[in-house]
Amino acid sequence: CAARRSVPVTYRRATTGTPIPGQRASQVPQAQDDGQRARQTERLRAEIAALRVRDSVVLEPDDDLGAAIATIGRTGGVIILTEGTWQILGTIPVPIAGVKIFGVTPERCLLRKDVVDANPIFSVTAARFEIHGLGVWDEGSTGSAAVSLQAGADHFVMDRCYINTCYRAVLASSAHYGQVSNCKAGARAEAVRLVNSDFWTIGPNSYLMATDEIIYADDDTSWLIALGNQGLGVGEISVKAGTSYQLAANAAIQTVRP
């Protein structure tokens, strides 16, 4: 991996074992011994070796995630986040294609944003951004999202992530070919909002709860597919006129509105 250069720090370490308000004790990341941490890291290294990426780096919560993304290389690479709670202090830009972030597990690797503003945790403007195995706690205000995808951020993947609280989990604007699978999310607006974003797949095995629609797709979005999601939470899937969609094997969806 290329040498890191100094950029503004986007997070700091918080103590493991400290409950977030409203979080059950069983959900709080607990400290692990060096042996457990090493085994989890080696398992992730094996998974990443199978991806045959050029650059990879392992980060502790005291390291700078923003700097690692900025210097990972023009062809992308993999970042492994070890166990701990990462305090998010500002938006993390992702301007480089092919960045993949892996947490050890969503229960033990938590990105926590306590700042109440409309800024996302990740602002993505490049293709093939992926996040796997992360927990997220986002206190963002109206209009925010844990992940904001903009034009050029195609082929996004979110897998095995737990978005404990957020205004939105994903906001996609002119970002195509996205996938959300094996995730849990609780949103104060929509869990996933698609604006002029085509060919998205939600599922399988995602449990999404939202105060508004579970999934919202505007009339400039085509081919939304939601398949095999068990126990989808309160709310609806809202598909505006002109949107093609396929819905199957989704439990507890109240209504579908074409």
Side-chain angles (χ1 to χ4, degrees):
C1 180
R4 298 179 190 174
R5 56 186 173 85
S6 178
V7 300
V9 175
T10 50
Y11 57 85
R12 55 185 166 78
R13 188 167 192 171
T15 305
T16 57
T18 302
I20 296 171
Q23 189 180 34
R24 297 191 302 272
S26 61
Q27 297 174 311
V28 178
Q30 300 298 321
Q32 294 178 295
D33 61 34
D34 291 340
Q36 290 174 307
R37 187 179 296 109
R39 286 191 294 274
Q40 288 181 335
T41 302
E42 286 306 310
R43 175 182 58 79
L44 279 177
R45 284 186 183 276
E47 291 181 9
I48 289 163
L51 297 176
R52 297 184 178 181
V53 295
R54 177 177 297 179
D55 290 333
S56 65
V57 61
V58 178
L59 299 183
E60 298 284 342
D62 291 328
D63 296 325
D64 195 315
L65 177 56
I69 291 174
T71 61
I72 200 167
R74 289 181 296 175
T75 59
V78 171
I79 298 171
I80 301 173
L81 303 184
T82 58
E83 175 228 347
T85 298
W86 308 61
Q87 190 74 39
I88 305 298
L89 302 180
T91 295
I92 301 171
V94 185
I96 298 169
V99 174
K100 299 174 175 61
I101 300 177
F102 286 77
V104 286
T105 69
E107 297 88 355
R108 294 188 178 277
C109 183
L110 180 68
L111 306 183
R112 175 177 172 176
K113 176 189 172 186
D114 293 324
V115 178
V116 180
D117 60 25
N119 299 318
I121 292 178
F122 292 106
S123 178
V124 188
T125 55
R128 303 191 310 281
F129 177 59
E130 299 183 13
I131 55 175
H132 301 261
L134 297 179
V136 176
W137 184 277
D138 180 9
E139 292 288 356
S141 61
T142 301
S144 68
V147 181
S148 175
L149 305 166
Q150 300 155 49
D154 301 334
H155 300 282
F156 167 71
V157 174
M158 183 167 74
D159 182 59
R160 295 182 294 109
C161 292
Y162 296 170
I163 315 298
N164 293 316
T165 187
C166 61
Y167 186 77
R168 294 187 183 100
V170 177
L171 170 61
S173 300
S174 300
H176 312 298
Y177 302 100
Q179 179 168 354
V180 176
S181 57
N182 304 301
C183 292
K184 298 179 182 179
R188 298 189 296 279
E190 313 93 358
V192 178
R193 184 179 181 89
L194 306 177
V195 178
N196 192 27
S197 298
D198 302 332
F199 303 105
W200 271 71
T201 302
I202 310 299
N205 302 324
S206 288
Y207 187 95
L208 308 176
M209 299 184 67
T211 302
D212 294 334
E213 297 94 346
I214 296 169
I215 305 167
Y216 172 92
D218 75 351
D219 53 8
D220 290 319
T221 294
S222 65
W223 284 113
L224 163 67
I225 301 174
L227 299 174
N229 299 295
Q230 299 301 316
L232 281 168
V234 297
E236 306 169 344
I237 292 181
S238 179
V239 183
K240 297 302 182 182
T243 300
S244 302
Y245 60 90
Q246 179 182 0
L247 303 166
N250 295 296
I253 295 176
Q254 293 183 350
T255 61
V256 175
R257 302 187 303 180

